[in-house]
Amino acid sequence: MIPPGEKTIEQRSCKHCKKVFEITDADIKFYETLDVPFPTWCPECRLMRKMAWCNEWVMYTNECLFTKKPLISQFPKTDPRKVLSLKAFFSDEYDPLLYWRDIDFERSIFEQIHELEVSMPHLYAAVDSVNENSEYIHRAGQAKNCFLLFHADFNEDCYYGYGIKKSKNCMDNHYCHESNFCFECIDVKKCSNMNWCQNCENSANCSFCRDCLGCRDCFLSVGLRNKTHYFMNEACSPEEYQDKLKNFRTGSYSHVQKAKQLLETLEQKHSFKNLNTISTENSFWDNLRYTKNAWNCFDCSEIEDCKYCYQVQFWVKNCYDLYQYGVSQDHCIECTMMGINASNCKYSYTCDGDISGLEYCMNSFHSKDCFACQGLKKHQYCILNKQYTEEEYKVLRWKIIEKMKADGEWWEFFPIKYSESCYNETIAQQWFPKTKEEVLALWWRWQDNMPGTYGKETITHLPDDIRDAKADIVEWICKCETCSKNYRIIPQELDYLYKNSLPLPRECFDCRRQRRFNKRNKRVMRDVSCHECWKVVPTTYPENFTGKICCEKCYRKLVY
């Protein structure tokens, strides 16, 4: 959709899918500011291409190249890429400039970048240097005492989550920001002591609630605003509320399943706003929070003057075509997994921490003004990991750009065939699923041996109530009820469940994460008529959605 006030200047056919997409006058102005040509792929295919580089949660057992100590990694042992522990990567023993290469102007630049990338040791996972006691996380940083967190930053004592930001003491959540003591929640922000809640903000002490803002002590309720002591959407006195709670044992798995069914019944009677947005100005698409002039963006918060950005948060301005991360970012284009003071970066992947002027760089930290490099640490004026003077760098950079223009490579993100990960290991398979045959036909890679153990379970029946779980359950191996994969209960997890009266999980983390993912709307827009005024509005709720969908004006009348 074209933003109001913009004009279509050119229509193009996507180089990949042949779909027609538009270039507006505002787009041209932005491309000219960054001195880049127009894109050749449509927005959806550009997103898919970036996603196809991002393995976000598939982890393998491996070992550090230097110390030989075991660790988990996004790369299996069979991958030609060797891995380094966090300590080894940031030590003086690892010098990325030892792997330098000269540019060969007779060959593809992308091919040469790929050859450099494969030949070098990699950080075992995409993490930063300030994590503490958090070895089992990926695409995450600024973590303390965290376990199996993905796409997460600034967290402490959090376990099993995706999209967790600035939170403490949370477990099994999907998009949980600035919250504490949240369990099995989806899309919550600034919440405390919340269990099995979705789309809630500024709320506390609630369970089985959805679309509740500013609420306290609510149970099995939907669509509340600034309410206290509500049970199944009915007001109660504090004494009545506590009395009703006695009929539900949140530590019992069977009781929780019944409560989930009751919540689904309530949701069918509730009216939902057509798009899940809060405090947005001139912004469009779904799951946006505190955005201004954010167009064709999904799952973003605190961004301004951005377009085609996905899962980007915190103080991001003047950026196009970003996938993931953020935290003080400006004037970046076609990047993925970039953040923390990133400026004027182009076509780069997984670079972090006070970075600027990076082009076609990968897995680099605290560096600036580098081109086609891999695994840098505090470097400047490097090309293919070779050090140059500032003047040499500028001259050679322009020569390379002219060659890439002639070869049709300039402005294009890294080709999927050179991705660090196989297609089905990446987030692209989640949003743009393909069969093995389709992937191989495109000359992309496919992983046949996904990680996981099966048939090793030593316990077949978990107690229904957490009160009946023994301390030695952490020594047992469980079997996932959904996929049959084996998993364990870790001591910190058992302690959290005991203290908060929550049931033992019946599924492995992968299946729990997928279940929460499936409860969110897909990124597919359709038009629907408002249930109240019949005005046609866009929505991401699917056609089989049983709740009522309303425009924002009618929705506000109903809930306030």
Short mmCIF file of all heavy atoms in Angstrom, two decimals, residues 457-499:
data_model
loop_
_atom_site.label_atom_id
_atom_site.label_comp_id
_atom_site.label_asym_id
_atom_site.label_seq_id
_atom_site.Cartn_x
_atom_site.Cartn_y
_atom_site.Cartn_z
N GLU A 457 13.51 -41.29 26.21
CA GLU A 457 12.78 -40.85 27.40
C GLU A 457 12.88 -41.86 28.54
O GLU A 457 12.88 -43.08 28.32
CB GLU A 457 11.31 -40.59 27.08
CG GLU A 457 10.57 -41.76 26.47
CD GLU A 457 10.66 -41.79 24.95
OE1 GLU A 457 11.45 -41.02 24.36
OE2 GLU A 457 9.94 -42.61 24.34
N THR A 458 12.99 -41.32 29.76
CA THR A 458 13.06 -42.16 30.97
C THR A 458 11.84 -41.94 31.86
O THR A 458 11.76 -42.51 32.94
CB THR A 458 14.34 -41.85 31.76
OG1 THR A 458 14.39 -40.45 32.06
CG2 THR A 458 15.57 -42.25 30.96
N ILE A 459 10.92 -41.09 31.42
CA ILE A 459 9.66 -40.90 32.13
C ILE A 459 8.56 -40.74 31.08
O ILE A 459 8.74 -40.05 30.07
CB ILE A 459 9.72 -39.66 33.06
CG1 ILE A 459 8.42 -39.54 33.87
CG2 ILE A 459 10.01 -38.40 32.29
CD1 ILE A 459 8.49 -38.46 34.95
N THR A 460 7.46 -41.42 31.26
CA THR A 460 6.38 -41.40 30.26
C THR A 460 5.14 -40.67 30.73
O THR A 460 4.26 -40.35 29.92
CB THR A 460 5.99 -42.85 29.88
OG1 THR A 460 5.61 -43.56 31.07
CG2 THR A 460 7.15 -43.56 29.21
N HIS A 461 5.07 -40.37 32.03
CA HIS A 461 3.88 -39.70 32.55
C HIS A 461 4.30 -38.61 33.53
O HIS A 461 4.94 -38.89 34.55
CB HIS A 461 2.95 -40.70 33.25
CG HIS A 461 1.73 -40.05 33.83
ND1 HIS A 461 0.69 -39.60 33.06
CD2 HIS A 461 1.39 -39.78 35.13
CE1 HIS A 461 -0.24 -39.07 33.85
NE2 HIS A 461 0.17 -39.16 35.10
N LEU A 462 3.97 -37.38 33.22
CA LEU A 462 4.26 -36.27 34.11
C LEU A 462 3.09 -36.03 35.05
O LEU A 462 1.92 -36.18 34.64
CB LEU A 462 4.53 -35.00 33.30
CG LEU A 462 5.79 -35.00 32.42
CD1 LEU A 462 5.85 -33.73 31.58
CD2 LEU A 462 7.04 -35.13 33.26
N PRO A 463 3.34 -35.68 36.30
CA PRO A 463 2.23 -35.42 37.23
C PRO A 463 1.38 -34.25 36.74
O PRO A 463 1.88 -33.28 36.18
CB PRO A 463 2.95 -35.08 38.54
CG PRO A 463 4.33 -34.70 38.15
CD PRO A 463 4.65 -35.50 36.93
N ASP A 464 0.07 -34.35 36.96
CA ASP A 464 -0.84 -33.30 36.52
C ASP A 464 -0.59 -32.00 37.26
O ASP A 464 -0.62 -30.92 36.67
CB ASP A 464 -2.29 -33.74 36.73
CG ASP A 464 -3.28 -32.66 36.33
OD1 ASP A 464 -3.46 -32.45 35.12
OD2 ASP A 464 -3.85 -32.01 37.24
N ASP A 465 -0.32 -32.09 38.55
CA ASP A 465 -0.14 -30.90 39.38
C ASP A 465 1.32 -30.73 39.75
O ASP A 465 2.00 -31.69 40.12
CB ASP A 465 -1.00 -31.01 40.65
CG ASP A 465 -1.23 -29.66 41.31
OD1 ASP A 465 -0.24 -29.00 41.69
OD2 ASP A 465 -2.40 -29.26 41.44
N ILE A 466 1.81 -29.51 39.66
CA ILE A 466 3.20 -29.23 39.98
C ILE A 466 3.53 -29.61 41.42
O ILE A 466 4.68 -29.96 41.74
CB ILE A 466 3.52 -27.73 39.74
CG1 ILE A 466 5.02 -27.46 39.90
CG2 ILE A 466 2.71 -26.84 40.67
CD1 ILE A 466 5.89 -28.15 38.90
N ARG A 467 2.53 -29.64 42.30
CA ARG A 467 2.76 -30.00 43.69
C ARG A 467 3.19 -31.46 43.83
O ARG A 467 3.78 -31.84 44.85
CB ARG A 467 1.50 -29.75 44.52
CG ARG A 467 1.11 -28.29 44.62
CD ARG A 467 -0.20 -28.08 45.37
NE ARG A 467 -1.32 -28.74 44.69
CZ ARG A 467 -2.58 -28.67 45.09
NH1 ARG A 467 -2.89 -27.97 46.19
NH2 ARG A 467 -3.53 -29.29 44.42
N ASP A 468 2.88 -32.26 42.82
CA ASP A 468 3.23 -33.68 42.88
C ASP A 468 4.55 -34.00 42.17
O ASP A 468 4.95 -35.17 42.10
CB ASP A 468 2.11 -34.51 42.25
CG ASP A 468 0.79 -34.35 42.99
OD1 ASP A 468 0.84 -34.25 44.23
OD2 ASP A 468 -0.26 -34.29 42.33
N ALA A 469 5.20 -32.98 41.63
CA ALA A 469 6.48 -33.19 40.95
C ALA A 469 7.60 -33.30 41.98
O ALA A 469 7.70 -32.47 42.89
CB ALA A 469 6.74 -32.06 39.98
N LYS A 470 8.44 -34.30 41.83
CA LYS A 470 9.56 -34.49 42.73
C LYS A 470 10.79 -33.73 42.22
O LYS A 470 10.92 -33.45 41.04
CB LYS A 470 9.89 -35.97 42.86
CG LYS A 470 8.70 -36.83 43.26
CD LYS A 470 8.13 -36.40 44.61
CE LYS A 470 6.95 -37.30 45.01
NZ LYS A 470 6.33 -36.85 46.29
N ALA A 471 11.69 -33.43 43.12
CA ALA A 471 12.88 -32.67 42.77
C ALA A 471 13.76 -33.39 41.76
O ALA A 471 14.44 -32.75 40.96
CB ALA A 471 13.68 -32.34 44.03
N ASP A 472 13.72 -34.73 41.77
CA ASP A 472 14.60 -35.48 40.87
C ASP A 472 14.07 -35.52 39.44
O ASP A 472 14.68 -36.16 38.57
CB ASP A 472 14.83 -36.90 41.38
CG ASP A 472 13.55 -37.75 41.39
OD1 ASP A 472 12.47 -37.19 41.12
OD2 ASP A 472 13.65 -38.95 41.64
N ILE A 473 12.96 -34.82 39.16
CA ILE A 473 12.44 -34.82 37.79
C ILE A 473 13.42 -34.16 36.83
O ILE A 473 13.39 -34.41 35.62
CB ILE A 473 11.06 -34.14 37.73
CG1 ILE A 473 10.33 -34.55 36.44
CG2 ILE A 473 11.19 -32.62 37.82
CD1 ILE A 473 8.88 -34.15 36.40
N VAL A 474 14.31 -33.32 37.35
CA VAL A 474 15.30 -32.68 36.49
C VAL A 474 16.32 -33.69 35.96
O VAL A 474 17.08 -33.37 35.02
CB VAL A 474 16.03 -31.53 37.24
CG1 VAL A 474 15.03 -30.44 37.64
CG2 VAL A 474 16.78 -32.05 38.45
N GLU A 475 16.36 -34.87 36.54
CA GLU A 475 17.28 -35.90 36.08
C GLU A 475 16.64 -36.81 35.03
O GLU A 475 17.33 -37.65 34.43
CB GLU A 475 17.74 -36.75 37.27
CG GLU A 475 18.43 -35.93 38.36
CD GLU A 475 18.74 -36.75 39.59
OE1 GLU A 475 18.51 -37.99 39.56
OE2 GLU A 475 19.18 -36.18 40.60
N TRP A 476 15.36 -36.65 34.80
CA TRP A 476 14.65 -37.52 33.88
C TRP A 476 14.57 -36.89 32.48
O TRP A 476 14.71 -35.68 32.32
CB TRP A 476 13.24 -37.80 34.39
CG TRP A 476 13.22 -38.51 35.71
CD1 TRP A 476 13.20 -37.94 36.94
CD2 TRP A 476 13.25 -39.92 35.91
NE1 TRP A 476 13.22 -38.90 37.92
CE2 TRP A 476 13.24 -40.13 37.31
CE3 TRP A 476 13.28 -41.02 35.06
CZ2 TRP A 476 13.26 -41.40 37.86
CZ3 TRP A 476 13.30 -42.29 35.61
CH2 TRP A 476 13.29 -42.47 37.00
N ILE A 477 14.35 -37.73 31.49
CA ILE A 477 14.20 -37.28 30.10
C ILE A 477 12.74 -37.44 29.70
O ILE A 477 12.17 -38.53 29.82
CB ILE A 477 15.10 -38.09 29.15
CG1 ILE A 477 16.57 -37.96 29.57
CG2 ILE A 477 14.92 -37.60 27.71
CD1 ILE A 477 17.51 -38.85 28.77
N CYS A 478 12.13 -36.35 29.24
CA CYS A 478 10.72 -36.35 28.88
C CYS A 478 10.54 -36.53 27.38
O CYS A 478 11.48 -36.36 26.59
CB CYS A 478 10.07 -35.04 29.33
SG CYS A 478 10.32 -34.64 31.07
N LYS A 479 9.31 -36.83 26.99
CA LYS A 479 8.96 -36.99 25.57
C LYS A 479 7.88 -35.99 25.20
O LYS A 479 6.84 -35.92 25.84
CB LYS A 479 8.46 -38.42 25.32
CG LYS A 479 7.97 -38.67 23.91
CD LYS A 479 7.44 -40.09 23.76
CE LYS A 479 6.87 -40.33 22.38
NZ LYS A 479 6.32 -41.72 22.24
N CYS A 480 8.13 -35.21 24.17
CA CYS A 480 7.18 -34.20 23.72
C CYS A 480 5.90 -34.86 23.21
O CYS A 480 5.95 -35.80 22.40
CB CYS A 480 7.81 -33.35 22.61
SG CYS A 480 6.68 -32.15 21.87
N GLU A 481 4.75 -34.38 23.69
CA GLU A 481 3.47 -34.95 23.28
C GLU A 481 3.12 -34.62 21.83
O GLU A 481 2.28 -35.28 21.23
CB GLU A 481 2.35 -34.44 24.18
CG GLU A 481 2.41 -34.96 25.60
CD GLU A 481 1.25 -34.49 26.45
OE1 GLU A 481 0.50 -33.60 25.98
OE2 GLU A 481 1.07 -35.00 27.57
N THR A 482 3.77 -33.61 21.26
CA THR A 482 3.45 -33.19 19.89
C THR A 482 4.36 -33.81 18.85
O THR A 482 3.89 -34.36 17.85
CB THR A 482 3.52 -31.65 19.79
OG1 THR A 482 2.59 -31.08 20.72
CG2 THR A 482 3.17 -31.19 18.38
N CYS A 483 5.69 -33.74 19.07
CA CYS A 483 6.62 -34.22 18.04
C CYS A 483 7.45 -35.42 18.48
O CYS A 483 8.23 -35.95 17.68
CB CYS A 483 7.56 -33.09 17.63
SG CYS A 483 8.82 -32.67 18.88
N SER A 484 7.31 -35.85 19.73
CA SER A 484 8.02 -37.00 20.30
C SER A 484 9.50 -36.74 20.56
O SER A 484 10.23 -37.64 20.97
CB SER A 484 7.88 -38.25 19.41
OG SER A 484 6.53 -38.63 19.30
N LYS A 485 9.97 -35.51 20.37
CA LYS A 485 11.36 -35.19 20.66
C LYS A 485 11.58 -35.22 22.17
O LYS A 485 10.71 -34.88 22.96
CB LYS A 485 11.71 -33.80 20.11
CG LYS A 485 13.17 -33.41 20.28
CD LYS A 485 13.42 -31.97 19.87
CE LYS A 485 13.20 -31.75 18.41
NZ LYS A 485 13.54 -30.35 17.99
N ASN A 486 12.78 -35.62 22.57
CA ASN A 486 13.11 -35.63 23.99
C ASN A 486 13.49 -34.23 24.48
O ASN A 486 14.04 -33.43 23.72
CB ASN A 486 14.27 -36.59 24.26
CG ASN A 486 13.90 -38.04 24.00
OD1 ASN A 486 14.66 -38.79 23.41
ND2 ASN A 486 12.71 -38.44 24.45
N TYR A 487 13.19 -33.96 25.74
CA TYR A 487 13.55 -32.69 26.35
C TYR A 487 13.68 -32.90 27.85
O TYR A 487 13.26 -33.91 28.40
CB TYR A 487 12.50 -31.60 26.05
CG TYR A 487 11.15 -31.84 26.69
CD1 TYR A 487 10.80 -31.20 27.87
CD2 TYR A 487 10.22 -32.72 26.13
CE1 TYR A 487 9.56 -31.40 28.47
CE2 TYR A 487 8.99 -32.93 26.71
CZ TYR A 487 8.66 -32.27 27.88
OH TYR A 487 7.43 -32.49 28.47
N ARG A 488 14.28 -31.93 28.52
CA ARG A 488 14.47 -32.00 29.96
C ARG A 488 13.84 -30.80 30.65
O ARG A 488 13.63 -29.75 30.04
CB ARG A 488 15.96 -32.03 30.30
CG ARG A 488 16.69 -33.32 29.98
CD ARG A 488 18.14 -33.22 30.41
NE ARG A 488 18.91 -34.41 30.11
CZ ARG A 488 19.04 -35.46 30.94
NH1 ARG A 488 18.43 -35.43 32.12
NH2 ARG A 488 19.76 -36.51 30.61
N ILE A 489 13.58 -30.95 31.93
CA ILE A 489 13.20 -29.84 32.80
C ILE A 489 14.47 -29.39 33.51
O ILE A 489 15.11 -30.19 34.20
CB ILE A 489 12.15 -30.28 33.85
CG1 ILE A 489 10.95 -30.98 33.20
CG2 ILE A 489 11.71 -29.08 34.69
CD1 ILE A 489 10.15 -30.12 32.29
N ILE A 490 14.88 -28.14 33.35
CA ILE A 490 16.10 -27.68 34.00
C ILE A 490 15.77 -27.22 35.43
O ILE A 490 14.61 -26.88 35.73
CB ILE A 490 16.77 -26.55 33.20
CG1 ILE A 490 15.88 -25.30 33.15
CG2 ILE A 490 17.12 -27.02 31.79
CD1 ILE A 490 16.59 -24.09 32.55
N PRO A 491 16.75 -27.21 36.32
CA PRO A 491 16.48 -26.85 37.72
C PRO A 491 15.85 -25.47 37.88
O PRO A 491 14.92 -25.29 38.70
CB PRO A 491 17.87 -26.89 38.37
CG PRO A 491 18.63 -27.88 37.55
CD PRO A 491 18.15 -27.69 36.14
N GLN A 492 16.33 -24.47 37.13
CA GLN A 492 15.76 -23.12 37.25
C GLN A 492 14.28 -23.11 36.83
O GLN A 492 13.45 -22.40 37.41
CB GLN A 492 16.53 -22.13 36.38
CG GLN A 492 18.01 -22.03 36.69
CD GLN A 492 18.83 -22.92 35.78
OE1 GLN A 492 18.50 -24.08 35.57
NE2 GLN A 492 19.91 -22.36 35.26
N GLU A 493 13.97 -23.91 35.84
CA GLU A 493 12.59 -24.01 35.35
C GLU A 493 11.68 -24.63 36.41
O GLU A 493 10.58 -24.12 36.69
CB GLU A 493 12.59 -24.86 34.08
CG GLU A 493 11.25 -25.13 33.45
CD GLU A 493 11.38 -26.01 32.22
OE1 GLU A 493 12.49 -26.52 31.95
OE2 GLU A 493 10.36 -26.19 31.54
N LEU A 494 12.13 -25.72 37.01
CA LEU A 494 11.33 -26.39 38.04
C LEU A 494 11.11 -25.45 39.22
O LEU A 494 9.99 -25.38 39.76
CB LEU A 494 12.03 -27.66 38.49
CG LEU A 494 11.28 -28.50 39.53
CD1 LEU A 494 9.96 -29.01 38.97
CD2 LEU A 494 12.14 -29.68 40.02
N ASP A 495 12.14 -24.73 39.60
CA ASP A 495 12.01 -23.79 40.71
C ASP A 495 10.99 -22.70 40.39
O ASP A 495 10.17 -22.34 41.25
CB ASP A 495 13.38 -23.16 41.00
CG ASP A 495 13.36 -22.22 42.19
OD1 ASP A 495 13.05 -22.67 43.30
OD2 ASP A 495 13.63 -21.02 41.99
N TYR A 496 11.02 -22.19 39.17
CA TYR A 496 10.07 -21.15 38.75
C TYR A 496 8.63 -21.70 38.78
O TYR A 496 7.70 -21.03 39.26
CB TYR A 496 10.42 -20.68 37.34
CG TYR A 496 9.65 -19.49 36.85
CD1 TYR A 496 10.19 -18.21 36.91
CD2 TYR A 496 8.38 -19.62 36.29
CE1 TYR A 496 9.49 -17.09 36.45
CE2 TYR A 496 7.67 -18.53 35.83
CZ TYR A 496 8.23 -17.27 35.91
OH TYR A 496 7.52 -16.19 35.44
N LEU A 497 8.44 -22.91 38.27
CA LEU A 497 7.11 -23.50 38.24
C LEU A 497 6.57 -23.75 39.65
O LEU A 497 5.40 -23.51 39.94
CB LEU A 497 7.13 -24.80 37.44
CG LEU A 497 7.53 -24.66 35.96
CD1 LEU A 497 7.63 -26.03 35.30
CD2 LEU A 497 6.54 -23.79 35.21
N TYR A 498 7.44 -24.26 40.53
CA TYR A 498 7.05 -24.50 41.92
C TYR A 498 6.60 -23.19 42.59
O TYR A 498 5.51 -23.11 43.18
CB TYR A 498 8.24 -25.05 42.71
CG TYR A 498 8.31 -26.55 42.80
CD1 TYR A 498 9.50 -27.23 42.56
CD2 TYR A 498 7.20 -27.31 43.17
CE1 TYR A 498 9.59 -28.61 42.64
CE2 TYR A 498 7.28 -28.69 43.26
CZ TYR A 498 8.47 -29.34 43.00
OH TYR A 498 8.55 -30.69 43.09
N LYS A 499 7.44 -22.18 42.51
CA LYS A 499 7.18 -20.93 43.22
C LYS A 499 5.94 -20.22 42.73
O LYS A 499 5.26 -19.52 43.49
CB LYS A 499 8.40 -20.01 43.11
CG LYS A 499 9.60 -20.48 43.91
CD LYS A 499 10.77 -19.52 43.75
CE LYS A 499 11.95 -19.96 44.60
NZ LYS A 499 13.13 -19.06 44.42
#
